[in-house]
Amino acid sequence: MALRDDWRCSAGTLLCRLSPKRQACIYVDMATSEEFSLADATSVLTRTPGTLDALLRGLPDTWVRCNEGKDTWSAFDIVGHLICGERTDWMPRVRIILENGETRAFDPFDRWAQLNEGQGKSLEQLLDEFARLRQENLIALQALKLGQKDLTGRGKHPELGVVTLSELLATWVAHDLTHLHQLSRLMAHQYRAAVGPWSVYLGVLQCAGHSAP
Amino acid sequence: MALRDDWRCSAGTLLCRLSPKRQACIYVDMATSEEFSLADATSVLTRTPGTLDALLRGLPDTWVRCNEGKDTWSAFDIVGHLICGERTDWMPRVRIILENGETRAFDPFDRWAQLNEGQGKSLEQLLDEFARLRQENLIALQALKLGQKDLTGRGKHPELGVVTLSELLATWVAHDLTHLHQLSRLMAHQYRAAVGPWSVYLGVLQCAGHSAP
């Protein structure tokens, strides 16, 4: 297993550079489980708080508080959920893998804990809290100075069984993206009727809501 | 048709306020074609350039240039496409409706024009260009001082037939969101293998790619 932990190009980038005039490069899976770059992963993790802040801060409640129907999430819920992940999921699980390997299963993650997290708070407070916790966690991650051997370390998920540290870190990134995906979908959903006949052209309105809890 | 053009609450917001402790409010379509708020729409349109900037500026090429396979788009392509929309689609169509109504069909929108738009430019240049054009267009939109009667005005789409100005403006918003949806999906796609068994939990990896061109 060859792990990359620096800013060198992945195979995908190299292909792009071979054809600099093409806008869409030939697809190469940039990070299989055999080739994971911690730097690539943290480059996204670092940007998520700012992305959500730019999208959501100051938006009218019509966008922030509404959802896709019964038992689905609002933008407010999503930010609360991401906060819970920073507190109880990602870095605690990194440490369990490093300290206990497969001998101790992760604690299960409560996907509804944000119902308490957001109680009595404004969206702006949640955005600030998420940014602070993410920054702290990325500093803590960097301080671990993870090497190739660490990234192949194995842990035990209570439902999925054996997982590796690099899979956990890749999932942290994809989890951010799954909630950005959900957020764009739930916001677009509010305009399902308002767009009139254009709905057939708008991919986000065809999405079946895979990210719903 | 009752159009809202201010910051008053929609039905959805009112429901949220009736139950302030609930995080997820009961779903009410916040903007049917009968109730469209120009202020709600522009609140999202204003934020899209900053959102894309926060997510993409400075990201390694591995994230920016790769896509989901042959004939699909990269982050670079998406920003180029949004620039083309600012230049040739949204405000030109607003003006065609106001000046010509249904008597003149819109010019068709070239969905591949960004292949030329991005030629020889960096992502950072495209992000700057998109932000500048969006700002200019929103200033121009505000200067039109659209009233309820204007928003119900009808135009002619070359394929969809009769559309209204409020539908065009709602589509401008949903189009931003469809490409944010696409962007989160194509980025997550790069980690399809890297997340290992977690893939079953990640909604974005189940998305069938409705936003592909």
Side-chain angles (χ1 to χ4, degrees), chain A residues 75-101:
Chain A
F76 190 88
D77 298 324
I78 289 170
V79 181
H81 171 74
L82 291 171
I83 288 174
C84 296
E86 294 306 303
R87 286 224 178 90
T88 66
D89 193 332
W90 308 111
M91 283 306 291
R93 289 182 172 189
V94 167
R95 293 191 182 97
I96 289 172
I97 291 179
L98 292 174
E99 292 165 15
N100 304 96

Side-chain angles (χ1 to χ4, degrees), chain A residues 162-178:
Chain A
V162 174
V163 292
T164 67
L165 183 50
S166 75
E167 287 168 351
L168 173 64
L169 295 171
T171 301
W172 193 358
V173 174
H175 182 264
D176 278 7
L177 295 169
T178 217

